[in-house]
Amino acid sequence: LEMVYQPIVELSSRTVVGAEALIRWNHPELGLLMPDSFIGLAEDADLIIPLSNWILTQVGRTLAAWQYKDLHVQVGVNVSPLHFAAGTLATDVNSIVDSLGIEPGRLVLELAESKSLHDVDAVYYQLMDVRRHGSLVAIDDFGSGFSSLERLATLPVDILKVDKSLTQHLDSKDLQRRRAMTALCKAVVEV
């Protein structure tokens, strides 16, 4: 297994301000495999929490190394809904952050809207705990799942990552579609 980091660039300054941590499996016969090829297997084999903790530790070590080099960026990492369900996510994240001395605001936990937000009560207290410890919380693929805005308003969320299904038509030649999607995105951003 290996981690790769996709840069996040601030368009106005063209400066790298962060990254998204992405896991890959460098399979000896099949080559580099994307997460959709093996995450389900890890979940089925009850290995997702050890895998998540390995990922969090690797990302934490990378953040600590970058901090040491005065690179103060945020790194987002996807978290499994099963880690929330186990009730250990906050403890695991906070332990890694504390042991590696990660600066507040550097680690961003990303929740996929379609998977993680159905049991808001189970998620809320863990998110509050990680935020008190200095980690940030992002909703990934916002607009693609089943969460209502009311539910979203009850969660302690710092960042919304708007799903491409809401932004891919912003330059559409279909004027009506472009106006509708522009209005929708503007409303989400202004909330």
Side-chain angles (χ1 to χ4, degrees), residues 111 117 127 131 136-139 152-160:
L111 294 77
L117 300 181
L127 293 182
R131 287 181 78 227
L136 301 177
V137 175
I139 301 297
L152 181 61
T154 64
L155 289 175
V157 173
D158 302 291
I159 300 165
L160 284 181

Side-chain angles (χ1 to χ4, degrees), residues 112-162:
E113 179 192 8
S114 60
K115 295 179 182 175
S116 303
L117 300 181
H118 298 298
D119 187 359
V120 175
D121 293 334
V123 173
Y124 177 81
Y125 292 105
Q126 292 183 73
L127 293 182
M128 288 300 293
D129 194 8
V130 296
R131 287 181 78 227
R132 277 191 293 273
H133 244 72
S135 297
L136 301 177
V137 175
I139 301 297
D140 197 11
D141 301 326
F142 177 75
S144 66
F146 304 101
S147 295
S148 68
L149 290 176
E150 185 275 327
R151 278 190 165 183
L152 181 61
T154 64
L155 289 175
V157 173
D158 302 291
I159 300 165
L160 284 181
K161 294 177 68 180
V162 177

